[in-house]
Amino acid sequence: MASPSLQRRLGLTDAVFIGLGAMIGAGVFAVWAPAADAAGAGLLIGLAIAAVVAFGNATSSAQLAAAHPTSGGTYAYGRAELGPWWGFTAGWGFVIGKTASCAAMALTFAAYAAPPGWERPVALAAVAALTIVNWFGVTRTAQAARVIVVAVLLTLAVGVAASVSAPDSPGWLTPDALGAGGVYGTLQSAGLLFFAFAGYARIATLGEEVRDPQRLIPRAIVVAFAIALALYVVVAIAVLSTLGPDGTAASAEPVADAAVASGWGWAGPVVRIGAAAASLGALLALIAGVSRTTFAMARERDLPVALATVHPRWHVPHRAELAVAVAVLALVAFVDLRGAIGFSSFGVLLYYLVANVAAFRQRGPARRYPAVLQVIGGVGCLVLAVTLPWQSVVAGVIVVAVGIVYRAVRVTRAA
């Protein structure tokens, strides 16, 4: 029997919007407070470090996606280039990390959109609603992503314009302020900020649904990454210059608080609406990406084979999407929002470590970028992973070990 496959319906613009929906939603409203808590104004240096590591990872993903245009992202690339165990490690890291990200984005949406006391019910409803959107086809996902991204960009334009008009926080950009977190704090902020860039992986995981993937996926990844980086730099400077490092670290809504500090009273609610939309965009793309990796792993029997089913009408991995939704709904009931960022970063850094090793092994026509970029990306992933908050590192190691034991048992039983 032939393996089930998906349909190629997405173009370049669709892929870019899906990546942007994941990146600007996942980080631009959520990551500044923990990063400032770790490094103060040094988060700007952390942002630069995270961007360098992320660029290495993005080029590795682009190079691999062009050679292996199939669902599953680095799970599929690791299997093809390095072997089944490497692929499983990458896929498991992605699934656990991004499932936590789904829960975090649902709770972020609810924090901005729900009445007090209704946060968790609203988060649960958001997960259910976006699962239904994804169920009815990937083109619906791309259309929704376009609307959300445009709304978020307009909102951020309002927030940044308001922040620029506010008085600068004194002494926020001095050498002492930049070095306040020390080397460890700066690297920790880079690991947390890496969470914000990881959305370009969503483009690669949709490789089986993009038209002309050898040409379009590398372009979409690089374009989405460049736009997101420019946006993060602008927002980081606007927030820090208005609230200062301490105010940013203490704020639950740093972008909205920076807008309100300008005296533009109407800007705060506008930014909060945009933050809710951004969180929905990230959640929409995350559910799509995690379900495709789950589908790919099930197709290779690394997860229950029942999840490797494509809906006959809508051409989506509907059982995988349902399984991901159930896991996210369970996490929403218990997850800690800030802790989820660190845990997600650990899983995704592991995922990209495998991507860099796999891309480094590629030779001949498959090589599109210098090998030094993979070295930078791989070493950067290791450094950022071990400097995350220790609770995230410990939890990540335990859950990865559980996955490895699970696969070892399955392989032994199948032998």
Side-chain angles (χ1 to χ4, degrees), residues 9 11 23 38 60 88 128 183 185 212 297 312 353 363 367 374:
R9 297 182 172 190
M23 281 188 277
S60 291
F88 176 84
V183 173
D212 192 7
M297 294 180 74
L353 173 61
R363 297 290 184 270
R367 176 158 293 284
Q374 285 103 59

Side-chain angles (χ1 to χ4, degrees), residues 13-399:
T13 305
D14 296 322
V16 169
F17 270 100
I18 287 174
L20 281 175
M23 281 188 277
I24 67 172
V28 77
F29 294 103
V31 79
W32 305 117
D37 188 52
L43 73 83
L44 292 174
I45 300 173
L47 181 62
I49 295 170
V52 171
V53 175
F55 182 72
N57 297 340
T59 55
S60 291
S61 295
Q63 181 173 293
L64 289 161
H68 306 284
T70 186
S71 282
T74 300
Y75 168 71
Y77 313 149
R79 286 183 63 90
E81 298 288 344
L82 303 170
W85 274 105
W86 285 85
F88 176 84
T89 302
W92 186 242
F94 182 87
V95 167
I96 61 173
K98 289 306 179 181
T99 299
S101 291
C102 289
M105 288 303 101
L107 289 168
T108 299
F109 165 73
Y112 284 101
W118 285 84
E119 288 84 0
R120 292 195 188 276
V122 168
L124 293 169
V127 173
L130 294 186
T131 300
I132 293 170
V133 171
N134 279 323
W135 186 287
F136 289 112
V138 73
T139 54
R140 306 297 197 285
T141 302
Q143 290 164 3
R146 287 181 185 230
V147 173
I148 291 168
V149 167
V150 170
V152 171
L153 290 176
L154 292 173
T155 300
L156 286 174
V158 171
V160 169
S163 301
V164 167
S165 70
D168 275 3
S169 175
W172 73 274
L173 194 57
T174 63
D176 287 343
L178 289 173
V183 173
Y184 181 81
T186 300
L187 289 174
Q188 187 174 111
S189 75
L192 294 167
L193 288 161
F194 182 84
F195 168 82
F197 287 109
Y200 53 77
R202 230 68 69 244
I203 301 170
T205 59
L206 298 173
E208 203 168 316
E209 296 163 273
V210 175
R211 298 189 298 268
D212 192 7
Q214 286 86 352
R215 183 174 66 88
L216 295 188
I217 291 178
R219 290 174 61 188
I221 288 174
V222 173
V223 169
F225 173 81
I227 294 171
L229 174 59
L231 186 67
Y232 276 113
V233 170
V234 170
V235 174
I237 292 173
V239 170
L240 281 172
S241 64
T242 303
L243 301 181
D246 292 340
T248 302
S251 175
E253 306 171 348
V255 179
D257 288 344
V260 169
S262 68
W264 298 8
W266 57 269
V270 169
V271 171
R272 290 185 180 92
I273 292 170
S279 302
L280 282 182
L283 181 58
L284 180 73
L286 282 164
I287 292 173
V290 177
S291 65
R292 267 59 176 183
T293 300
T294 302
F295 167 79
M297 294 180 74
R299 191 164 55 181
E300 298 293 343
R301 299 183 181 274
D302 278 334
L303 290 176
V305 71
L307 300 176
T309 303
V310 177
H311 195 283
R313 179 178 180 183
W314 304 114
H315 307 289
V316 297
H318 58 296
R319 290 184 181 175
E321 287 187 344
L322 184 60
V324 170
V326 169
V328 175
L329 289 170
L331 284 173
V332 164
F334 305 104
V335 73
D336 173 76
L337 179 59
R338 292 174 71 131
I341 292 177
F343 182 78
S344 174
S345 293
F346 182 89
V348 176
L349 285 163
L350 176 64
Y351 175 86
Y352 284 115
L353 173 61
V354 176
N356 283 297
V357 175
F360 185 79
R361 289 281 300 273
Q362 289 183 297
R363 297 290 184 270
R367 176 158 293 284
R368 291 169 173 258
Y369 303 99
V372 67
L373 288 175
Q374 285 103 59
V375 174
I376 292 170
V379 172
C381 285
L382 284 172
V383 172
L384 297 188
V386 299
T387 54
L388 286 167
W390 69 266
Q391 299 93 332
S392 299
V393 176
V394 171
V397 169
I398 291 172
V399 178

